[in-house]
Amino acid sequence: MTLEIAIVLGLLLGAMVLFATEALSVDVVALGLVAALVASGILTPAEGFSGFGSDVIIILACIMILAGAIVKAGVMDWLGQLAHRAGNGNARLSVLSLLAISASSSALLSNTNTTAIMLPAAIETARREAISASRVLMPLSFASMLGGAGTLIGTSANLASSGMVEDLGLEPFALFEFLGVGAIITGVGLLWLVFPGQATLPRRRPVDTGAEAEPRRFFTTLCLPEGSAVLDKAICEIDFDDLDTDLLSVVREGQRLEPHHSRKLRAGDELIVRATRDGMLKLQKSRDFALEPDVHFTARYGDTLRPVMAEAVVTPQSRLVGQSVKQMGFFDRYRGIVLAVYRRHRERPARIENLLLKEGDVLLLQGPQDDIVSLGAAADLRVLSLVDRIVVTRREGLVTLGAMGAAIALNVIGLVPLSLAFLLAVLFVVLAGNIAMAEAYRFIEWRLLVLIASMSAFGQAMDQSGAADYLAERIVEWCMPLGPYAALAAFSLLTVLLSQPMSNAAAALTVIPIAVAAADGLGVDPRMLAVLVTLSASLSFISPLEPACLLVYDAGRYTFLDYAKAGTPLTIICVALLLVIVPWAWG
């Protein structure tokens, strides 16, 4: 063993300990590895930082932006509603439909996003079918992880591995190269989870989220700007659901009218509505509606000021209790406006300027940032949080979904590389005005990109230092007496085990150089071993450390041991399938 090999293996051991103990964040550990490799001379600065310029990073960033916009628009919410209806009274069929939708969605979106989207639907399915939610939530996260392994863009591990095999002189993975094996493993996995695997799952009630888990619905008043497309339209023709908004009353010439479906809106009408916070943001973006308080704000400050939005609660001893928004002179006192008011248990429509405030009312405020932030020192109002102004409408989400599909099609027919295709898709949705670049940057998970870029450099160091060859020779020596399949099983299980303390992508990037180096000694195709390691990295079911598993951990009242009990047999089944299918398909 040379000094360079000892340094690289020592760094690997230290990184694994830090990953497992979470003494430092994963991105700090990964950057520390790069710094140590460059400082020790094992890699040049250009080699150490080459991962940050990889097209894999561009693809991942673009997918995060597109997927974030699709999820934010609520385009995928209807899938949960579809799962509600698919069971037709059969509990197992309902759960199977839910898991199938989760697995299919995660082939394009990340498994974390998919699990988050489907979580409310899973709890509702369990309630409706009178089964324990803990028997649905863990399978939901497992299904999203299984489905993500079937495409190149379904999980970061697949994309990162494709970049690594290309660096090692092998052909990179195609977009749908894993679709066949992914479909088989997903299908078998889902059937296991819904039928015999149910016996391995605990029976526990979900965490009671309470009424406040539902998004607050604020009262406000809308007016119809000149040129609005909803003028002279019947109420039934207007999709208020897309705006997360309920129409409560139409005010016409001072009289309140019931919002009958056939009633047509006229110029000068005002609408009393109740909307979620995201609905308020969508209404602000709409060309067909205007928030009445927003009109007054623009008249006072003009269009040059970019205000911030915040939620603030009326305190018990507030001087505002018993006053209306009009009476308290909020604009003159706080240099802001009250866009909307939330009051628990109130259902009747109300114009907010006439509503007498009570303690506990939540006001949705808008104003200059310095003035809104300064409210934190006021005794009358307590600022709960600033509002993230990123919001995407359903139409914009569908356009984004179409752009993503077009990018995939352009790559499949061979016109442009995947990185350019997704970059063009992002540019299209930005130039179309669907999202701003500032919003796009906020959809990117920068920590994951840093981790993958840094671990790519570490994989390169494993190869160049001889550490990969050294470990490969040891594995070949230990496993060859048992046959090549024992070595394949060893690489697959090693990847699965490393994916517990490390991320899936980091585990794959660590093991692929070792597996490729061992290919000659085993007499097998190196690319086949790379495929085996890549797919094994997605099988991290035996602990709750995967983000998709963490999402359901508290909601299902799970313990660490619950994952070991339910995840171990599923892992064994999937690894066994990989050991049969991968050598046959890629050998």
Side-chain angles (χ1 to χ4, degrees), residues 297 301 305-308 334-336 366-373:
F297 184 86
Y301 282 106
L305 179 68
R306 182 170 177 80
V308 298
Y334 299 109
R335 283 173 44 85
Q366 179 175 278
Q369 182 168 355
D370 291 343
D371 295 288
I372 293 297
V373 172

Side-chain angles (χ1 to χ4, degrees), residues 14-286:
M16 288 178 60
V17 171
L18 291 173
F19 281 137
T21 59
E22 298 182 345
L24 296 172
S25 64
V26 293
D27 49 334
V28 171
V29 175
L31 287 172
L33 285 176
V34 174
L37 291 170
V38 173
S40 63
I42 295 173
L43 294 179
T44 65
E47 291 170 338
F49 303 123
S50 61
F52 292 92
S54 167
D55 61 345
V56 169
I57 299 298
I58 299 299
I59 295 170
L60 271 174
C62 292
I63 289 173
M64 289 172 184
I65 293 170
L66 295 171
I70 292 167
V71 171
K72 192 74 175 178
V75 172
M76 306 301 292
D77 289 346
W78 69 272
L79 292 176
Q81 300 168 7
L82 179 64
H84 285 329
R85 300 190 296 267
N88 196 26
N90 186 302
R92 288 187 187 274
L93 185 56
S94 292
V95 175
L96 182 60
S97 301
L98 184 81
L99 301 190
I101 291 171
S102 176
S104 302
S105 301
S106 63
L108 293 180
L109 306 177
S110 74
N111 53 36
T112 307
N113 276 336
T114 301
T115 303
I117 293 166
M118 302 300 293
L119 183 60
I123 293 176
E124 176 60 22
T125 297
R127 184 199 63 77
R128 194 184 72 250
E129 302 297 344
I131 57 178
S132 173
S134 60
R135 310 198 88 179
V136 180
L137 298 182
M138 189 187 296
L140 176 75
S141 62
F142 287 172
S144 69
M145 293 159 66
L146 287 167
T151 64
L152 186 64
I153 61 174
T155 174
S156 58
N158 289 2
L159 264 174
S161 298
S162 182
M164 174 57 71
V165 298
E166 190 172 15
D167 291 341
L168 295 173
L170 303 175
E171 183 183 352
F173 301 137
L175 183 59
F176 295 113
E177 186 168 350
F178 304 144
L179 193 58
V181 63
I184 293 172
I185 292 176
T186 299
V188 173
L190 297 191
L191 291 174
W192 166 265
L193 289 169
V194 173
F195 295 102
Q198 284 286 303
T200 66
L201 295 167
R203 298 175 182 267
R204 298 196 183 98
R205 295 180 61 188
V207 173
D208 183 11
T209 54
E212 291 303 324
E214 292 296 320
R216 297 188 182 99
R217 303 190 77 86
F218 293 85
F219 289 99
T220 193
T221 305
L222 306 179
C223 52
L224 307 179
E226 187 176 349
S228 170
V230 302
L231 289 173
D232 299 320
K233 273 191 175 182
I235 289 173
C236 63
E237 300 177 63
I238 305 169
D239 190 1
F240 283 101
D241 288 340
D242 184 28
L243 298 169
D244 295 331
T245 299
D246 299 324
L247 176 59
L248 302 179
S249 180
V250 177
V251 181
R252 180 175 295 166
E253 297 177 355
Q255 292 186 341
R256 288 192 187 180
L257 307 175
E258 291 293 323
H260 296 307
H261 286 187
S262 59
R263 191 181 302 281
K264 292 187 176 182
L265 299 182
R266 301 177 186 173
D269 283 353
E270 295 178 343
L271 312 180
I272 299 177
V273 300
R274 189 173 53 183
T276 65
R277 195 170 68 176
D278 279 355
M280 298 291 297
L281 294 169
K282 290 178 181 179
L283 289 168
Q284 281 194 319
K285 291 182 68 172
S286 173

Side-chain angles (χ1 to χ4, degrees), residues 467-495:
D469 289 325
Y470 177 81
L471 291 178
E473 289 170 4
R474 303 290 82 75
I475 291 176
V476 171
E477 287 175 8
W478 298 331
C479 296
M480 275 308 289
L482 302 175
Y485 265 92
L488 298 185
F491 281 117
S492 180
L493 292 173
L494 175 63
T495 308

